[in-house]
Each structure stands twice: as structure tokens, then as C-alpha cells.
Amino acid sequence: MAPGWVDHAMWWHVYPLGFTGAERSADGTTPVTHRLAHVERWLDYVVDLGLNGLALGPVFASSTHGYDTVDHLRVDPRLGDRADLDRLLAAAHDRGVRVLLDGVFNHVGDQHPLFRAALAGGPGAPEAELFRIRWTDGSPEWDCFEGHRSLVTLNHDSPRVADLVSDVMTHWLDAGADGWRLDAAYAVPAASWRRVTDRVRAAHPDAYLVGEVIHGDYPAFVAEAGLDSVTQYELWKAIWSSVLDRNWHELAWTLGRHDAFLDAFVPYTFVGNHDVTRIASRVGDATLAGHALLVLMTVGGTPAVYYGDEQAYRGVKEDRAGGDDEVRPPYPATPDDLAGPDLAPDGRAAHDRHAALIGLRRRHPWLHTARTHVVEVTSTRLAYEARAADGTAALLVALNLDDEPWPLAVPAQARPVAAEGAAAGGGVAGRGWAVWELDRS
């Protein structure tokens, strides 16, 4: 079971190297540039939006994109140094904002000193045990992450790897981090994670541990790996494709699976992150991105908002070198600099929509573990009740993809609490949505 503070956590997910406009690569000669202060300057904005968590992408020394780590105990010089990270953690905590770090422990970069030592020392090198290296006629071959030769897979059968990962996680939790997102958790055997998470929890029982898992048996992985949660990619996909394809039946079916997951754990939910096309680009416009946000904020889960989505940023991920750049852009110096049609033409409306729906969730904290009951569904219209797990409260949520109004029959005692678009005589506006509080007294 996740620590109690997670019941009220909602994250702003930031990819720091992109957010701060850092250089694309670094090596041993890269000077320290104190860019983490740029993230710190946005903390009040995060709080004003209604969020209370900062989910940071990689901040540790790496060669390029942050997921090719070369030193887990040193801050990437393109972002700053240990003092900068300490200040960011303290500034966040001063505002009641929790901080989630990104742990890349399935693999390391091929410039990691331990890997270089393994190659230099050959099969008999003590460091060779840490990796899955095969030697043929004196030439090394090694397992790598999803075909990327520069991302060298660790040997998770080795007790020394479990020691390394446990020590790194505990080191930064000791320093003040509140938890870890475990990158590519799906690529590591659950039993290997368990050897790590048991040790980490012994030292930090209040830490939040969430694994990046794309598909599979989520509840089994959470239980076997000793995690609190995993990334809910099934829900992410069903949300955007239901909107894009005008097929709410897909989401209605997925909500049933989502409820089953909630019986075992509370998923980490999202409609955007650093690895996927932005929601406004995916569904075609910022208004329909609002439909996706409404689902995120009215179903059970621990929701995360990817930086820029709250400003209707566009960006398409492409499968090529540099294909992530559009979805990992720099942010301006201050929130005041977000204004202007050249930067985010729908930004103000998107920001206000996020603030309103985050506020709605704050006023109904039971939504963290809410179950959903589909009331009505067609290809373009969906109504569901979000119900408190103990049955004491409920919201009626209705989403309309049609251009025409939807004269939805609403219970007489229902109280409207949020809507986008006005519908004459009640119901739901064309391309709009609405939320009512239901009487459960």
C-alpha cells in the first residue's frame, strides 16, 4: 500500500534537460551550469495550479538525454550540482510540494566508468559481473535496451547490481527526495526489483515507488516487485484514441479494467509524458484535449500533468534521432512569459481548465480511489458515475464529442459543479462536457 500522503498527490511532470534548454550532450569537460534554479522558479506556478508534486525526469550525470547515466550520485553538470538539487528539494518542500526522482536502473550509458572498466579488464574483470557481456574471440558483445547499443543493460541477477541500485535510491531519499519513478521497470524481472525495494522500504517506508510499465499484468507486477504503483498506459491509450476515433466504447471497456486495478493498487495516471505525442496534437485541438483531462481528473488514480499540456503545447513524437525534441521543449523564464499567441495560442484557456478540474478533484479527494459506473455510452457520448469507494459520494460525468447538444437526463437532485460549453435547457453542450454532484445522503 502506498504511503498515506500519496492519497492527495498530483504531479507536475518535468523533463529537466528540455525544460531548462540544456545542451544535447555532456562529457567530462562540460562545465557546471546552474539550470535547476529555472525549475525552482516555477514552483509557485505549480502550487497556484493546484498541484503538489514535482515529478522530475533524469537529473543525474549522463552523456545525452539523461537516460544514459554515467554517475547516479552526481547531478548532471548541464543542470547544476548537488547544492542546486538540495535547494530545489528544500524549496519544493517549503511549499508542500513532494519530489519524485527518475531512476534509470535497467541500464546505464556506455560511458559509465563501471562499464568502461569491464571492457578494459576483459572477462575476468570484477566489473564484468555487473553487465551481460559475452566475449567472442576477444571481442565483447553486450545486452542493451531495446536495440540501443549505447544503453547497456545491467545484470539484474547479480547481488552487486541490487546493492548498487538500493544504495543509489536510499542515498537520494536520505537527501530529501520523496520517491522514485523507476524507468523501464518492465524490462527488469519483478523478483530483481523486490530485492531492491525491500531494502529501500526498510530505510524509507514513506517513499513512493512507481514503475514504468507499458502493458501486462499490472497488479501482479506491483505485488511481485514490491512497488506502490505503475504507469497506467492502458488508460492513457484508451482516453486519447476514444477522443480521436470518436469511439467512447473503448474507454468504457477500459474503465472496467481500471476499476479492477484499483482493487489491488492505485495507478499512476496521465494523458501526456516525455515519451509520447502531446495530447493537444494527438486529438487535434485544445478543446478536445479538455475532454481527456476531464477523464484524468475524475477517475481513480494518482494523476500527473506533463509540463506544457496545461498550456496546450503541441508536439509530435517521431521515431528518429531527435524525435523527442518537440515534446521536451524549453520553458520560458517565468510564468509571465507564457502569454502571447506565438507561444501557446490556447494557453490561457487550457491553464484555466486545468486549474478548474484540479480544483474539482481537490474538493473531492475520494476520487483518488473512485470506481466508475458507465451510465450511457455511444460512439460520441459517454456518461459515467465516479463513485467513492465507500459509496458515500458520487459525481456524474458526461462528455460529448458531437457538434450538437446532448439532452442528457440528469437526476433531479444533481448539482452542477463544472461544465464547458452552455447547453440550453440542461444537458451537455456540443463538443462540451459537464459534471454534476449526486446526492448520496
Side-chain angles (χ1 to χ4, degrees):
M1 181 179 294
W5 61 264
V6 179
D7 292 355
H8 304 280
M10 287 190 274
W11 303 97
W12 198 48
H13 176 193
V14 169
Y15 175 76
L17 290 168
F19 185 91
T20 62
E23 300 91 344
R24 289 178 177 272
S25 62
D27 57 28
T29 67
T30 300
V32 172
T33 305
H34 303 282
R35 290 189 172 98
L36 281 178
H38 180 45
V39 180
E40 185 179 335
R41 286 192 292 271
W42 284 82
L43 289 174
D44 289 334
Y45 170 88
V46 175
V47 173
D48 289 345
L49 195 60
L51 303 173
N52 62 348
L54 178 64
L56 283 174
V59 296
F60 305 118
S62 70
S63 297
T64 58
H65 45 58
Y67 292 95
D68 50 354
T69 316
V70 298
D71 190 341
H72 291 94
L73 299 180
R74 180 167 59 94
V75 174
D76 196 302
R78 294 171 289 172
L79 295 174
D81 55 22
R82 170 65 185 269
D84 293 312
L85 183 54
D86 286 344
R87 278 192 295 272
L88 177 58
L89 290 169
H93 291 156
D94 285 347
R95 293 164 172 80
V97 174
R98 301 277 184 164
V99 180
L100 191 70
L101 296 180
D102 203 343
V104 187
F105 301 125
N106 173 68
H107 49 268
V108 298
D110 64 359
Q111 298 305 306
H112 195 289
L114 291 174
F115 181 63
R116 304 317 300 179
L119 293 186
E127 295 83 2
E129 177 194 343
L130 302 174
F131 308 96
R132 297 185 182 278
I133 305 175
R134 298 168 298 282
W135 301 83
T136 304
D137 298 328
S139 298
E141 287 291 333
W142 54 87
D143 289 354
C144 58
F145 178 61
E146 296 185 350
H148 301 284
R149 188 170 170 80
S150 63
L151 303 179
V152 184
T153 303
L154 290 164
N155 175 18
H156 294 97
D157 294 332
S158 167
R160 291 180 59 193
V161 169
D163 291 344
L164 183 154
V165 176
S166 301
D167 289 348
V168 169
M169 291 177 67
T170 301
H171 173 86
W172 290 109
L173 291 169
D174 289 344
D178 296 288
W180 287 94
R181 170 198 178 267
L182 301 173
D183 181 68
Y186 59 87
V188 178
S192 297
W193 279 125
R194 193 59 184 247
R195 288 193 290 272
V196 170
T197 57
D198 281 351
R199 292 170 58 178
V200 172
R201 289 195 190 285
H204 289 278
D206 209 32
Y208 179 52
L209 306 180
V210 54
E212 182 194 18
V213 177
I214 310 300
H215 48 68
D217 189 340
Y218 291 168
F221 194 90
V222 167
E224 293 167 15
L227 301 177
D228 295 307
S229 186
V230 293
T231 51
Q232 223 302 32
Y233 268 92
E234 286 190 15
L235 182 66
W236 161 79
K237 193 272 178 182
I239 291 173
W240 68 254
S241 63
S242 291
V243 176
L244 177 63
D245 298 336
R246 299 170 67 85
N247 178 22
W248 284 125
H249 292 283
E250 179 181 356
L251 179 60
W253 184 87
T254 302
L255 288 174
R257 280 183 58 82
H258 187 68
D259 275 5
F261 298 152
L262 283 158
D263 290 338
F265 72 99
V266 179
Y268 179 100
T269 54
F270 58 96
V271 294
N273 66 29
H274 65 296
D275 279 331
V276 301
T277 291
R278 284 198 178 270
I279 187 64
S281 294
R282 179 72 80 172
V283 301
D285 66 48
T287 298
L288 294 181
H291 290 60
L293 176 68
L294 177 62
V295 177
L296 177 68
M297 290 299 166
T298 56
V299 301
T302 303
V305 174
Y306 184 52
Y307 85 98
D309 283 355
E310 87 287 354
Q311 292 289 335
Y313 272 33
R314 270 67 167 181
V316 176
K317 176 183 170 74
E318 299 179 359
D319 293 326
R320 59 173 177 79
D324 296 312
D325 292 352
E326 276 198 16
V327 300
R328 303 176 179 181
Y331 241 36
T334 71
D336 290 339
D337 299 314
L338 283 168
D342 293 337
L343 193 59
D346 304 301
R348 173 49 58 184
H351 175 276
D352 292 350
R353 183 186 299 119
H354 275 74
L357 291 177
I358 292 167
L360 173 70
R361 193 177 184 92
R362 284 267 172 250
R363 294 189 297 275
H364 301 84
W366 52 265
L367 283 167
H368 181 68
T369 56
R371 306 311 200 266
T372 53
H373 169 70
V374 174
V375 174
E376 184 175 337
V377 60
T378 70
S379 294
T380 56
R381 296 172 175 177
L382 174 66
Y384 60 83
E385 287 187 17
R387 299 171 173 174
D390 62 5
T392 60
L395 297 177
L396 175 62
V397 180
L399 304 106
N400 186 12
L401 297 177
D402 280 339
D403 293 331
E404 298 301 317
W406 174 16
L408 175 68
V410 178
Q413 300 303 314
R415 181 173 67 88
V417 292
E420 184 152 307
V428 189
R431 286 169 51 91
W433 50 260
V435 183
W436 295 264
E437 193 164 35
L438 300 177
D439 186 3
R440 285 289 185 265
S441 59

